[in-house]
Amino acid sequence: MGGSSSKEDSYEAHVLPHRDLEEVWPRVLWRVRGSLSFPLPRNMLMYRLSTGKLLIWSAIAVAESTVAAIQALGPIEVLVVPSSHHTLDAMVFKARVAPEASLVCPESERETLAKKGVLCDGTIEALVDRKVGVAAALSADGMPEGGELALILDLGDGLAAVAVCDLLFNILDEPPTWFGRFVGRHLFGSLGPLHVTKFGKRFFVKDRDKLATWLTETLPTTISNLGFRDLGLITVAHGDPVTSDCRRNLQLAADRLLDKIPLD
């Protein structure tokens, strides 16, 4: 647009096709499903802290109408960069949409992110406070040291949500093009119900048995020990949230990881 500043032009250049804001959990958690320049959907999550302010997980540059819808939910207090692989829009979103918000990341990723120009104000670990709704930040067993953390969020009524980044995918709809289907199904193994991708198994998972145990035993036990009565929601960076039978879906994901059952 004529007369726009270079900063605004930079933000607009990051805006890719995306869907409208949608509620995932009543009055607590929302998402925007976005896209990338290659065939892979991605999610931005908005979680309402007990203070009424918002935590945004994996920010995506979105159109002005969606920015307004997000801001209508409450003031943005913190932006979470879940890993060094999810930095595309972090700085432009902060500059354009939430300049007063704190930008946080896993402690182990802070130096790597700084080298990429993503300068974080703090860490996810320091964000944990059950009183505001962020109950825990967990490392998954069987994965490399450092990297992404799983956030445990309070949904109310004794239920917890777990938000993961690239640990699990849940892409249930087929891409519209043959290239997208080829990439998703054969190259990355990213299509299908809740699972660790083919790419993840090959390049990131260090011990499949340990990760499977973490998914089916350690994670549910930790959630119970935190005082929650059940796991009500699983959110992922790529694909749809799991909103029912979460423990069973974690078991199925573990079985797929160990090749006990097929992905399809």
Side-chain angles (χ1 to χ4, degrees):
M1 295 178 62
S4 296
S5 71
S6 59
K7 182 180 289 186
E8 290 172 337
D9 290 338
S10 177
Y11 179 84
E12 292 300 325
H14 279 73
V15 178
L16 296 172
H18 61 82
R19 297 182 184 177
D20 293 337
L21 179 74
E22 63 176 294
E23 189 176 66
V24 176
W25 199 268
R27 300 176 299 279
V28 177
L29 197 146
W30 299 259
R31 76 159 172 163
V32 173
R33 174 169 167 158
S35 61
L36 290 163
S37 57
F38 55 93
L40 183 67
R42 56 176 175 155
N43 293 319
M44 169 170 60
L45 300 179
M46 280 62 60
Y47 173 72
R48 180 175 283 150
L49 301 164
S50 64
T51 60
K53 297 180 180 180
L54 296 182
L55 175 154
I56 292 186
W57 183 93
S58 197
I60 294 174
V62 291
E64 289 295 330
S65 59
T66 305
V67 170
I70 293 170
Q71 291 175 331
L73 298 175
I76 301 169
E77 182 172 35
V78 61
L79 303 173
V80 175
V81 182
S83 84
S84 57
H85 303 296
H86 281 246
T87 62
L88 185 62
D89 297 337
M91 295 304 291
V92 294
F93 188 95
K94 177 175 169 59
R96 169 64 181 80
V97 180
E100 302 302 318
S102 296
L103 193 69
V104 304
C105 67
E107 173 65 41
S108 61
E109 294 276 65
R110 198 166 183 176
E111 183 176 346
T112 299
L113 286 165
K115 291 177 181 178
K116 298 176 73 171
V118 180
L119 306 176
C120 293
D121 306 301
T123 68
I124 294 175
E125 292 89 335
L127 185 68
V128 173
D129 183 350
R130 180 65 184 273
K131 292 180 181 178
V132 301
V134 183
L138 308 175
S139 296
D141 296 335
M143 299 294 288
E145 291 187 13
E148 72 169 274
L149 298 171
L151 277 189
I152 308 300
L153 303 172
D154 191 344
L155 296 174
D157 195 28
L159 295 175
V162 58
V164 299
C165 189
D166 295 326
L167 179 65
L168 297 167
F169 279 46
N170 189 48
I171 303 176
L172 302 177
D173 50 341
E174 290 276 335
T177 66
W178 71 266
F179 178 71
R181 292 190 291 274
F182 172 78
V183 171
R185 192 162 298 283
H186 301 292
L187 190 59
F188 291 126
S190 56
L191 301 182
L194 196 69
H195 69 289
V196 179
T197 66
K198 180 191 300 184
F199 188 84
K201 288 179 183 178
R202 182 172 182 182
F203 294 104
F204 294 108
V205 177
K206 299 299 183 183
D207 189 316
R208 293 192 189 189
D209 289 322
K210 286 185 178 180
L211 178 55
T213 299
W214 186 85
L215 291 170
T216 58
E217 298 179 19
T218 307
L219 178 58
T221 298
T222 300
I223 288 170
S224 295
N225 289 342
L226 287 167
F228 294 104
R229 64 179 176 85
D230 206 355
L231 176 61
L233 178 69
I234 303 167
T235 69
V236 295
H238 306 286
D240 293 320
V242 177
T243 58
S244 63
D245 297 323
C246 290
R247 292 184 186 236
R248 172 167 169 73
N249 276 286
L250 287 175
Q251 180 64 63
L252 292 172
D255 289 344
R256 294 178 185 113
L257 171 64
L258 298 176
D259 299 321
K260 292 183 177 180
I261 59 173
L263 179 57
D264 296 328

